[in-house]
Amino acid sequence: MKSFLIRFVGLLAVLFGITLITFTISYFAPGDKAEAIAHARYPGDFGIAPEVLQGIREEFNLDASFFSQYTHWLADVLRGDFGVSYSSRTSVWVIFVDNLGETVTLTLTSLAIGLTAAFLLSAVAVRYPNTFWDRGAVIISSIGAAMPSYWLSLLLILGVSVHLGWLPAYGTGTFAHLILPAATLAFWVMASQTRLLRTFMLEAYDQPFIETLRLRGIPEREIFSRHVLRHSFVPALTMIGLDMASLLEGAIIVELTFARSGLGSLLAGAVLARDLPVVMFLVMFFATAYVVINSVIDGVQHICDPRNLNKAKTS
Amino acid sequence: MSLSQSIRLSDSPPADPLRQFSKRVGVATLVLLGLWSLALWLTPYQPAAADFLNRLAPPSAAHWAGTDHLGRDIATRLLYGAGWSLGLSLAISLTGFVVGTVVGILAARSGPAGDFAVMRVTDSFFAFPELIAAVTFAGLFGPSTTNLVIALMVVSWMKFARLARALTLSLGDSDFITQARLNGLSNGLILWRHLLPNILPSLLVLWTNSWSRTILSVSGLSFLGFGVQPPSAEWGAMLLDGKAYMQTAPHIMIFPGLAVLLAVMVINLTGDRLRDLMAGKT
Amino acid sequence: MQQNKPLISISNLQVSVGDKQLLSDVSFDLCEGEMLCIVGESGAGKSTLVKALQGMMPAHCDRFTYARSSTEVCGAIPAGLGLAQARWVMQDPLAALNPRQSLGRSIAESLHKENLPKDKLRKRVLSALDDVELSADFYDRLPSQVSLGQAQRACLARALIAQPKLIFFDEPLSALDALVQKKIAQRMESLRRATNTTYIAVTHDLGFAAAYADKVLLLREGAVSAYQSRMAFFANPQSDYAKDLVAAAQSLGALPEAAA
């Protein structure tokens, strides 16, 4: 109970740190924020009157000190008010929700395909060690881990869209648009997870009780499905949590390369347009999601595996 | 007596595999560096020299990897690009290595309260995925090589800090460090002679991993327009150049991507080997 | 045979962590060149006693003298008191040696405080290696490049090189094979005779105690169950627990003839 409390305080401290870092970056970003807001409000108007700028500064509290601006902003965030986009003048939350779906679809599709493939590949590799399948799994996973996803995207576009003409290259919308991006990301998921799952499963096979089970005449198939899989599950879960960040990064690169709409494209567009409310929200969202997901996985892991209770103190 | 003598004679000291491996890697690195400088010296082309008569030429005897949309020799640009892609990411990951290791050791040595504080700061930074932090920073502060490097450095150290801290804590009460304390060695000496040599191999494995990831980040961000800007011959920036001519001259985008893939694979495999060696020892 | 100068004497040692009493009312005294074996089952407080004597645990006692110095202490034993000259040989030689440091350099660190010039230091280390029957080419080897017994010899050399008045042994043989155990035990014994060093050895091996100890201190649940000379302990144990223990060891044939 006490350790749970310490963890919770730690989580709050980290979330607080995230808001501070986010705000610091946006505070020190170059360029006149008032001007950025004015340009967004009055598009095409190049001679914005100084009085208008002054009005905006007062409206947005832009002349106040770092600390005062930060506390105001933090208070808004805590109330669930994430501000209004400079450029589209709609609520940041609405824009976020509009774009969330595409990214979640892409991520979950790739995760499902990639994990299934990874489980099959590593299971075959571990059941038939030192065969063609095992070596193939190792080679595929080391290529996949080193493969620049934007390059794979281009290769797929070149091969499948340009030469074969089977699927659309760029854009969002239909199921056909999803296939190539999801395949790119799924390949990475498969490669990185095969590598880990194979190691975890081999480690599980090294456990002394496996030999006991064999001597008792339990069939190999049952040993694998009931014991090895379960033993490799907990470490695999942790690694997937840690790799959430990489998965998100992969999704962003894939979205940008395939010109898909989604959070990645939203972030890149907002950054280039200096739409600070959108940028700050997205950055905070990614960081918070990462921390929360990992805390949850941490918790699940502890419930799954009481042996970790002692180790937890040192981690 | 005869027994111990025969033991002594029979096993000539087996070489330390870690030391052997680092020697081999060192030699290989020197050879590669030598070949690279030799190639830079031998190539008849300049990386930025346009030749409009030879635009988009496919690979040939004169241009081993063909030419790009300005008629520049791609093989030469790849050579120069290695300096950008590998060099920048090397500098970034080394910074993360050093800073993270120092932070991790300090956290482990600074008592529970200090440790808690330092590690929560580390966690806060760790929460920002590398690429998102870099896109945000480089985008807001203006896409440039400098801003890319700063952004990636800021988010490069946390993994090292976590690992260094964990290793330091686990070694802190080990028997040989107790012996060193009883022998009156200062904290600095214990750190230098006993702690660092034992935590460095694991950190080196992490560093190879971090270097290869950073190569992917640097070239990826440059490809997306947030990093090294064309006409610099960074591999990702070259890919960006090649994207527009993908249909007519696919070789422009094939070779830079292949270069990234190979470089990352070589570094990863080296790191894997190092990790296996350590696992075999402990 | 030996000048029986008293080396260490302690009475009513108490160790507690928090409100948990780990050791209570432990007293003993030893002369130079004597060997005390601390025996008892695991958890009885053997290792705690060794750590407390080295000032690594908060401890209190009524009286504590060491090395016929005038330092007589009542109350808390300060860290490292007078025992700075003591050395400690641990149970697992591979854990006690830095895996990335050559044996020679590990041994040399024992003389860290003496600030010797390099060539002199090397000579001392080589002669210490010779004392434990390791040849000069072990100087540059890493712990992973030698056998467990050779590593424990190096640890022994590391303790001896400082010419301490007192060496603590924490289960020095239990990680080793029987044959190696015997050779190292004999080496320990002959070096003790040669240098007149006092040994305090934690062990659960009654055979070892029966063969080499001058005195035996039996601990049980943090208290002294028996404190006798070797002969008395094995012939006429003080407590019922000691009697059972000796009888059990005898029935297993674990004791040498002389003690039985």
Side-chain angles (χ1 to χ4, degrees):
Chain A
M1 194 57 211
K2 195 182 162 200
S3 87
F4 176 79
L5 204 67
I6 290 177
R7 272 159 184 273
F8 188 68
V9 171
L11 179 64
L12 287 183
V14 169
L15 292 177
F16 172 75
I18 288 172
T19 63
L20 191 60
I21 296 172
T22 308
F23 184 78
T24 308
I25 292 177
S26 79
Y27 182 85
F28 287 105
D32 186 352
K33 280 154 198 108
E35 225 164 277
I37 299 170
H39 278 302
R41 276 191 186 177
Y42 315 107
D45 185 354
F46 291 106
I48 292 162
E51 305 86 66
V52 177
L53 288 180
Q54 195 49 42
I56 291 173
R57 282 203 189 93
E58 273 159 27
E59 185 187 336
F60 286 87
N61 202 21
L62 289 178
D63 287 328
S65 67
F66 175 89
F67 182 72
S68 146
Q69 287 196 45
Y70 172 63
T71 43
H72 274 101
W73 172 78
L74 186 62
D76 284 346
V77 167
L78 289 179
R79 258 187 277 120
D81 174 9
F82 302 108
V84 173
S85 156
Y86 288 171
S87 35
S88 68
R89 305 196 65 180
T90 29
S91 145
V92 168
W93 178 254
V94 172
I95 300 178
F96 166 71
V97 172
D98 279 350
N99 283 276
L100 180 64
E102 291 293 347
T103 303
V104 170
T105 311
L106 173 65
T107 320
L108 288 187
T109 314
S110 332
L111 201 58
I113 302 172
L115 278 181
T116 313
F119 254 101
L120 290 176
L121 202 57
S122 46
V124 172
V126 171
R127 284 292 301 278
Y128 307 103
N130 296 320
T131 58
F132 170 79
W133 292 104
D134 187 16
R135 293 211 185 95
V138 172
I139 291 171
I140 287 181
S141 63
S142 31
I143 291 179
M147 176 72 84
S149 53
Y150 48 91
W151 188 54
L152 180 60
S153 310
L154 291 184
L155 291 180
L156 285 177
I157 291 175
L158 184 66
V160 180
S161 302
V162 176
H163 282 294
L164 298 174
W166 287 351
L167 294 168
Y170 302 109
T172 335
T174 66
F175 176 70
H177 283 102
L178 180 64
I179 297 178
L180 287 188
T184 309
L185 202 50
F187 184 64
W188 175 81
V189 172
M190 180 189 74
S192 59
Q193 295 304 315
T194 300
R195 195 181 161 87
L196 295 167
L197 279 171
R198 184 177 166 273
T199 318
F200 292 146
M201 287 180 187
L202 285 177
E203 273 168 15
Y205 262 121
D206 274 348
Q207 302 275 332
F209 71 85
I210 296 284
E211 200 53 39
T212 319
L213 291 174
R214 275 201 191 115
L215 290 173
R216 269 167 44 193
I218 311 253
E220 219 33 52
R221 171 191 284 276
E222 200 183 317
I223 291 180
F224 181 79
S225 57
R226 295 209 26 202
H227 300 279
V228 172
L229 267 188
R230 208 167 56 189
H231 251 77
S232 56
F233 181 70
V234 171
L237 189 69
T238 318
M239 290 313 297
I240 293 170
L242 282 176
D243 262 2
M244 278 308 282
S246 308
L247 187 67
L248 265 177
E249 291 179 346
I252 288 175
I253 287 194
V254 167
E255 276 179 9
L256 289 171
T257 330
F258 284 98
R260 280 175 67 79
S261 55
L263 296 181
S265 301
L266 182 64
L267 176 70
V271 156
L272 292 178
R274 306 191 171 282
D275 196 344
L276 285 177
V278 176
V279 174
M280 286 164 84
F281 176 80
L282 284 179
V283 168
M284 251 182 356
F285 166 75
F286 286 129
T288 310
Y290 177 74
V291 171
V292 170
I293 287 174
N294 273 298
S295 304
V296 169
I297 285 178
D298 234 26
V300 171
Q301 191 188 23
H302 278 251
I303 295 162
C304 282
D305 192 351
R307 285 173 307 168
N308 279 327
L309 281 175
N310 291 327
K311 280 190 213 156
K313 284 171 202 155
T314 53
S315 65
Chain B
M1 197 63 205
S2 69
L3 183 77
S4 68
Q5 233 151 20
S6 68
I7 289 170
R8 259 181 256 163
L9 289 176
S10 63
D11 59 357
S12 61
D16 177 20
L18 268 186
R19 208 167 288 171
Q20 226 172 13
F21 180 69
S22 21
K23 249 184 223 160
R24 240 180 276 153
V25 170
V27 170
T29 312
L30 283 181
V31 168
L32 280 177
L33 273 177
L35 285 176
W36 183 60
S37 2
L38 194 69
L40 283 182
W41 183 60
L42 283 179
T43 174
Y45 305 103
Q46 286 300 313
D51 175 5
F52 290 104
L53 296 176
N54 258 323
R55 295 176 71 234
L56 306 175
S60 64
H63 297 285
W64 290 0
T67 62
D68 66 3
H69 61 296
L70 298 176
R72 298 172 295 194
D73 181 59
I74 290 179
T76 305
R77 287 176 65 73
L78 285 177
L79 283 176
Y80 281 88
W84 286 100
S85 302
L86 306 184
L88 285 182
S89 45
L90 178 68
I92 292 164
S93 57
L94 274 180
T95 310
F97 184 4
V98 173
V99 173
T101 305
V102 170
V103 170
I105 293 176
L106 283 181
R109 292 297 197 83
S110 58
D115 183 35
F116 185 79
V118 173
M119 289 326 284
R120 293 301 81 79
V121 172
T122 307
D123 287 349
S124 302
F125 276 91
F126 201 64
F128 294 95
E130 231 169 84
L131 197 88
I132 288 159
V135 164
T136 307
F137 190 87
L140 288 181
F141 287 77
S144 74
T145 308
T146 320
N147 285 340
L148 172 78
V149 170
I150 294 175
L152 287 177
M153 276 181 178
V154 168
V155 291
S156 65
W157 54 274
M158 294 83 70
K159 278 188 183 174
F160 293 102
R162 284 187 168 185
L163 182 63
R165 169 183 174 273
L167 291 171
T168 308
L169 282 180
S170 72
L171 276 185
D173 47 2
S174 67
D175 283 354
F176 66 86
I177 288 192
T178 305
Q179 287 282 349
R181 285 236 157 79
L182 290 175
N183 283 337
L185 269 73
S186 65
N187 276 335
L189 259 186
I190 289 177
L191 179 78
W192 183 247
R193 281 197 203 162
H194 295 283
L195 194 64
L196 278 181
N198 283 290
I199 68 174
L200 273 184
S202 302
L203 288 164
L204 273 177
V205 172
L206 182 62
W207 171 69
T208 58
N209 189 292
S210 154
W211 186 17
S212 62
R213 276 183 61 112
T214 313
I215 293 175
L216 287 173
S217 297
V218 166
S219 62
L221 285 161
S222 302
F223 172 72
L224 296 177
F226 289 97
V228 181
Q229 303 293 316
S232 294
E234 200 278 333
W235 292 341
M238 288 174 69
L239 259 172
L240 181 57
D241 278 345
K243 192 180 156 195
Y245 304 91
M246 201 159 72
Q247 266 169 286
T248 45
H251 65 268
I252 305 185
M253 58 146 278
I254 301 254
F255 289 112
L258 209 56
V260 175
L261 178 70
L262 284 179
V264 171
M265 265 184 89
V266 167
I267 296 170
N268 278 349
L269 291 176
T270 312
D272 287 355
R273 183 84 196 100
L274 181 59
R275 195 194 49 213
D276 290 349
L277 276 180
M278 286 167 51
K281 279 177 67 74
T282 46
Chain C
M1 88 199 196
Q2 275 147 41
Q3 327 108 316
N4 276 337
K5 285 183 195 151
L7 179 84
I8 181 168
S9 165
I10 193 160
S11 71
N12 191 21
L13 178 80
Q14 312 270 347
V15 178
S16 52
V17 172
D19 47 358
K20 211 177 159 197
Q21 185 89 4
L22 295 179
L23 281 178
S24 58
D25 193 17
V26 176
S27 311
F28 65 85
D29 43 290
L30 279 175
C31 293
E32 287 184 0
E34 275 189 328
M35 175 160 180
L36 172 73
C37 273
I38 303 172
V39 293
E41 58 197 28
S42 36
K46 294 174 300 190
S47 297
T48 307
L49 178 53
V50 168
K51 283 189 179 158
L53 288 172
Q54 293 181 86
M56 294 169 69
M57 289 206 129
H60 289 262
C61 62
D62 284 354
R63 187 178 51 79
F64 179 64
T65 56
Y66 179 66
R68 76 203 126 132
S69 62
S70 49
T71 357
E72 183 168 311
V73 176
C74 295
I77 299 182
L81 169 98
L83 297 179
Q85 288 175 354
R87 285 296 182 272
W88 187 10
V89 177
M90 294 162 158
Q91 176 171 10
D92 180 0
L94 289 186
L97 291 166
N98 178 349
R100 307 289 324 149
Q101 197 178 37
S102 70
L103 297 185
R105 293 190 54 188
S106 285
I107 295 169
E109 262 183 12
S110 216
L111 298 177
H112 176 70
K113 280 189 173 160
E114 296 187 18
N115 269 327
L116 296 174
K118 265 192 177 163
D119 52 332
K120 223 173 185 176
L121 186 61
R122 195 183 160 87
K123 236 180 233 164
R124 287 272 299 268
V125 173
L126 287 177
S127 94
L129 279 171
D130 192 54
D131 284 343
V132 294
E133 294 172 322
L134 289 177
S135 67
D137 66 304
F138 278 84
Y139 190 97
D140 288 317
R141 290 208 197 175
L142 294 178
S144 56
Q145 296 169 332
V146 302
S147 72
L148 215 53
Q150 288 161 343
Q152 191 62 303
R153 281 167 198 266
C155 290
L156 191 56
R158 169 166 70 180
L160 287 164
I161 193 174
Q163 295 166 340
K165 288 200 174 344
L166 174 62
I167 302 180
F168 293 100
F169 292 90
D170 190 356
E171 307 270 13
L173 304 178
S174 61
L176 309 174
D177 291 338
L179 202 62
V180 184
Q181 275 187 355
K182 191 182 169 204
K183 292 190 76 73
I184 292 192
Q186 285 170 345
R187 197 69 213 154
M188 278 167 60
E189 181 63 9
S190 64
L191 287 166
R192 175 164 77 98
R193 302 253 173 245
T195 57
N196 204 28
T197 313
T198 305
Y199 286 179
I200 296 183
V202 167
T203 180
H204 56 243
D205 180 0
L206 279 184
F208 177 78
Y212 302 112
D214 292 301
K215 291 174 175 171
V216 178
L217 180 74
L218 175 64
L219 286 178
R220 190 185 194 195
E221 285 165 10
V224 177
S225 175
Y227 171 54
Q228 293 172 282
S229 74
R230 174 184 54 169
M231 290 308 235
F233 180 81
F234 286 103
N236 185 20
Q238 256 170 357
S239 63
D240 291 342
Y241 177 56
K243 258 179 211 141
D244 290 347
L245 211 59
V246 170
Q250 269 166 349
S251 71
L252 284 172
L255 298 183
E257 292 294 316

